[in-house]
């Protein structure tokens, strides 16, 4: 099955539902299932009417259809939304591509009122965004939208005044597609009483290094999040408690900024992926979750996951390539770093929170090495070990600031809302190539080369870190990319690999980053103070 056919069309849904009910052979891979949420545009337009009518000076400029006793969408109500989109599109390019109401801390009515009263155009946009700086990243597409804003330390009354290394980044995603994953921690959190009237189902919780505020509005799943350290305040690190007032200021400022009613999305059933029929004489891989013994957090094992979360192009330009541990690889006595079989390294011990890993901490993705360059010889293609190309796994939009050593590709379509992150490429080279926020890349396009950058050149070994996040009702969540990569590699080499049994490797010794640091049990009650476990 080619990549386009994998992006489930409605005519296939009935047969896919039958497949979902059938048992899957041990050596087959499934794609994910997704739930399509039904957007209540009537409720959104009613809310927009309230927001517009609170500004009598401009209320007459917007056209609304009369309310009906039957709650259904009325196309005659569109002019108000059309005018709102025209205003917002000046700052949020492509806002009309969102099929869900776009909630942003942007007071379009106040902006229009100021323009009508002759306010100078030089006034900063943050004046209409509750002191949040103009958007750093905005992406809207058939599944929903994502945006990132920044907030200067000390800006705004009652906000944290401590000086941080950089502004606080606030992210928001609204999506009509949510991934159905078996997540025991999903849906939990504490209510936020001061915002309960505005967001009745609002939940606050800390997951995977972010404080998150999740809620449902107009039938859509929205999540606001800020990356933070779940501990007491530390120099140059934002503590989660310091992030709370910033996030809640953001929530209070949210208004409908645009969007457009479109054909409803449809639920997507899990299916069995087609794999090449022919067998590779070389490619083999250990089972998902079979990490090197004793390398998980507190010596726990890996996380078996037979899900291929997307059908992608393999992230390295050429084969052979090897999924191998970069932290413990020399302690795996069974194979070298550039040899088959592949070995899963998702959930190796790290100080990062990952819900799928034992104890909640681990490696968020997979480390991948290119093959060593062969010795020069007649007929061999020239090979530069510092120029092994890294390519886009899908058509996507880039999420990356100029100082980031990671580049994320986001896919936002009628059948997927997923992110792929690449790490350890040199940020200066990425900047020079224009791999920055908003860049559109196409599948197979070169976006960089394998490098060893980790805060500085030669900070790690020559490899690519690759990971996957999917959007759920708890926001963007890390999932195991191992089977996704196995499936992609099989398509690259046009042959099916062979799963090999879990031979016992040499016992690994802990490395410097093996145990989490600065981790404190979350306590989201207002006014509480963290204590070490």
């Amino acid at each position: 099955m080619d990549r386009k056919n994998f992006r489930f069309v409605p005519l296939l849904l009935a047969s896919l539902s039958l497949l979902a009910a059938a048992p899957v052979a041990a050596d087959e891979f499934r794609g994910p299932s997704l739930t399509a949420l039904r957007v209540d545009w009537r409720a959104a337009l009613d809310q927009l009417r309230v927001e517009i009518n609170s500004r009598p000076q401009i209320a007459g400029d917007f056209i609304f259809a009369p309310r009906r006793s039957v709650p259904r969408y009325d196309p005659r109500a569109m002019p108000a939304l059309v005018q709102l989109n025209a205003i917002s599109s000046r700052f949020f390019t492509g806002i009309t591509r969102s099929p869900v109401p776009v909630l942003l801390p942007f007071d379009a009515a106040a902006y229009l009122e100021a323009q009508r009263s002759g306010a100078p155009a030089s006034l900063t946009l943050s004046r209409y965004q509750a002191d949040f700086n103009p958007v750093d990243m905005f992406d809207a597409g058939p599944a929903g939208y994502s945006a990132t804003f920044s907030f200067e330390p000390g800006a705004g009354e009652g906000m944290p005044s401590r000086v941080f290394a950089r502004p606080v980044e606030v992210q928001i995603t609204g999506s009509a597609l949510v991934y159905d994953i078996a997540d025991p921690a999903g849906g939990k959190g504490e209510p936020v009483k001061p915002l309960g009237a505005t967001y009745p189902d609002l939940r606050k919780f800390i997951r995977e290094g972010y404080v998150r505020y999740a809620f449902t509005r107009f039938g859509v799943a929205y999540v606001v999040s800020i990356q933070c350290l779940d501990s007491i305040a530390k120099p140059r690190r934002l503590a989660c408690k310091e992030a709370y007032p910033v996030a809640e200021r953001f929530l209070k400022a949210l208004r409908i900024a645009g969007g457009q009613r479109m054909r409803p999305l449809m639920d997507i059933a899990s299916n069995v992926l087609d794999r090449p029929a022919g067998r590779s004489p070389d490619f083999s891989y250990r089972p998902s979750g079979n990490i090197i013994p004793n390398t998980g957090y507190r010596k726990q094992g890996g996380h078996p996951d037979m899900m291929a979360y997307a059908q992608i192009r393999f992230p390295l330009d050429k084969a052979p390539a090897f999924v191998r541990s970069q932290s413990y690889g020399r302690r795996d006595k069974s194979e070298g770093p550039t040899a088959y079989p592949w070995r899963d390294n998702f959930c190796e011990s790290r100080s990062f929170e990952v819900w799928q890993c034992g104890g909640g901490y681990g490696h968020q993705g997979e480390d991948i090495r290119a093959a060593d360059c062969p010795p020069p010889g007649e007929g061999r293609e020239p090979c530069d070990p510092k120029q092994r190309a890294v390519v886009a796994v899908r058509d996507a939009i880039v999420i990356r600031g100029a100082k980031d050593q990671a580049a994320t590709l986001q896919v936002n379509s009628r059948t997927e809302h997923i992110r792929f992150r690449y790490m350890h490429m040199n940020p200066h080279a990425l900047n020079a190539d224009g791999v920055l926020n908003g860049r559109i890349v196409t599948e197979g396009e070169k976006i960089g080369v394998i490098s060893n950058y980790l805060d500085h050149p030669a900070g790690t070994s020559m490899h690519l870190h690759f990971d996957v996040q999917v959007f759920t009702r708890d926001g963007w969540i890390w999932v195991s990319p191992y089977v996704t990569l196995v499936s992609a590699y099989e398509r690259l080499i046009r042959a099916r690999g062979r799963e090999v049994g879990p031979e016992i490797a040499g016992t690994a010794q802990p490395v410097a980053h093996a145990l989490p640091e600065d981790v404190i049990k979350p306590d989201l009650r207002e006014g509480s103070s963290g204590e070490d476990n």
Side-chain angles (χ1 to χ4, degrees):
M1 179 183 292
D2 62 29
R3 176 172 60 86
K4 291 183 179 178
N5 289 338
F6 176 75
R7 297 172 189 175
F8 318 89
V9 294
L11 293 177
L12 292 175
L13 290 177
S15 60
L16 291 178
S17 297
L18 293 175
L19 280 171
V24 181
D27 62 344
E28 299 300 341
F29 303 148
R30 271 203 183 281
S33 64
L34 294 88
T35 296
L37 306 177
R38 300 299 183 253
V39 184
D40 186 352
W41 270 103
R42 166 56 63 189
L45 288 169
D46 284 347
Q47 178 61 37
L48 180 59
R49 183 197 305 269
V50 171
E51 293 177 4
I52 295 298
N53 287 342
S54 67
R55 307 260 183 192
Q57 297 91 330
I58 62 167
D61 296 334
F62 290 85
I63 303 172
F64 288 93
R67 292 178 61 88
R68 292 175 176 267
S69 58
V70 179
R72 65 181 180 84
Y73 174 75
D74 188 334
R76 292 183 298 167
M78 283 300 292
L81 191 57
V82 169
Q83 186 169 345
L84 179 64
N85 283 327
I87 297 168
S88 301
S89 292
R90 303 172 194 175
F91 313 108
F92 310 105
T93 304
I95 198 169
T96 56
R97 292 194 291 265
S98 172
V100 307
V102 178
L103 299 182
L104 297 174
F106 176 58
D107 192 340
Y111 172 81
L112 180 60
E113 183 179 343
Q115 298 304 300
R116 296 287 174 85
S117 63
S122 60
L123 285 176
T124 61
L125 185 58
S126 61
R127 172 175 177 174
Y128 308 104
Q129 293 184 170
D131 295 320
F132 289 91
N133 286 334
V135 67
D136 293 325
M137 189 284 295
F138 181 79
D139 170 52
Y145 76 99
S146 292
T148 302
F149 293 79
S150 60
F151 192 81
E152 294 292 336
E157 184 178 353
M159 295 294 102
S161 58
R162 188 164 67 90
V163 177
F164 305 118
R166 54 186 176 182
V168 179
E169 288 190 353
V170 186
Q171 303 176 21
I172 182 171
T173 295
S175 184
L177 280 180
V178 291
Y179 282 72
D180 304 323
I181 57 178
D183 180 4
K188 298 179 181 179
E190 298 288 337
V192 186
K193 293 181 180 179
L195 298 176
T198 307
Y199 304 102
D201 67 342
L202 183 65
R203 299 178 288 120
K204 178 171 70 173
F205 52 98
I206 296 172
R207 289 204 71 180
E208 299 187 339
Y210 288 80
V211 60
R212 305 171 184 230
Y213 293 73
F215 61 96
T216 302
R217 204 167 204 185
F218 317 125
V220 178
Y222 296 91
V223 180
V224 172
S225 59
I226 299 177
Q227 191 171 21
C228 58
L229 183 67
D230 185 22
S231 73
I232 59 175
K234 291 184 175 292
R236 297 180 177 272
R237 297 292 301 275
L238 180 70
C240 290
K241 287 190 176 183
E242 294 173 305
Y244 297 166
V246 179
E248 290 168 22
R249 181 186 185 90
F250 187 90
L251 285 157
K252 290 174 184 176
L254 289 180
R255 290 178 171 80
I256 298 173
Q260 187 145 258
R261 183 180 187 269
M262 300 180 189
R263 182 163 52 96
L265 302 177
M266 300 186 69
D267 290 347
I268 298 168
S270 174
N271 79 329
V272 178
L273 271 66
D274 283 346
R275 300 173 68 188
R279 294 280 180 175
S280 168
D282 304 311
F283 175 46
S284 60
Y285 59 93
R286 293 177 181 274
S288 172
N290 177 228
I291 64 175
I292 299 171
N294 300 313
T295 60
Y297 170 59
R298 293 181 177 171
K299 299 187 177 181
Q300 298 192 51
H303 175 77
D305 187 348
M306 294 303 294
M307 186 73 69
Y309 288 93
Q311 188 154 313
I312 61 173
R313 203 270 187 212
F314 193 70
L316 271 58
D317 182 39
K318 296 179 180 179
F322 306 93
V323 172
R324 304 289 299 168
S325 171
Q326 301 304 300
S327 296
Y328 296 93
R330 287 179 295 179
R331 295 171 172 83
D332 185 350
K333 305 301 182 183
S334 56
E335 299 96 16
T338 55
Y340 297 127
W342 281 11
R343 190 162 207 160
D344 191 357
N345 52 91
F346 182 73
C347 288
E348 282 185 344
S349 188
R350 300 290 194 278
S351 59
F352 307 121
E353 294 182 66
V354 188
W355 75 273
Q356 286 187 323
C357 299
Y361 297 93
H363 191 205
Q364 295 166 326
E366 301 288 350
D367 291 336
I368 309 171
R369 269 190 193 267
D372 296 330
C373 283
E378 185 176 348
R380 291 195 181 99
E381 187 177 346
C383 176
D384 182 346
K386 295 184 179 180
Q387 294 298 322
R388 314 301 287 275
V390 173
V391 299
V393 296
R394 293 287 289 278
D395 298 348
I397 188 171
V398 173
I399 303 174
R400 180 181 171 269
K403 296 181 180 180
D404 295 344
Q405 64 183 32
T408 298
L409 305 188
Q410 178 168 285
V411 176
N412 181 342
S413 73
R414 289 186 60 83
T415 56
E416 292 176 295
H417 211 176
I418 190 168
R419 289 176 172 176
F420 308 99
R421 186 177 64 165
Y422 301 68
M423 293 186 69
H424 306 312
M425 294 185 290
N426 190 307
H428 306 295
L430 292 172
N431 292 346
D433 292 339
V435 184
L436 294 162
N437 276 336
R439 164 89 172 267
I440 303 297
V441 295
T442 57
E443 182 175 311
E445 177 183 346
K446 181 181 176 181
I447 60 173
V449 296
I450 294 176
S451 186
N452 56 3
Y453 199 95
L454 181 63
D455 297 327
H456 56 82
T460 184
S461 61
M462 293 288 290
H463 74 282
L464 176 72
H465 169 99
F466 181 83
D467 55 47
V468 176
Q469 287 180 296
V470 296
F471 189 78
T472 73
R473 290 183 181 273
D474 277 9
W476 294 99
I477 297 293
W478 306 107
V479 291
S480 172
Y482 186 67
V483 170
T484 303
L485 288 170
V486 171
S487 177
Y489 195 68
E490 290 181 333
R491 286 188 296 278
L492 179 67
I493 64 174
R494 297 185 175 88
R496 181 182 290 219
R498 175 173 55 90
E499 183 176 290
V500 297
E503 295 91 353
I504 302 300
T507 300
Q509 301 299 315
V511 295
H513 59 215
L515 295 177
E517 298 175 354
D518 300 326
V519 176
I520 288 183
K521 184 178 179 180
D523 187 347
L524 300 177
R525 293 171 296 178
E526 300 297 332
S528 62
S529 59
E531 297 289 344
D532 286 329
N533 282 339

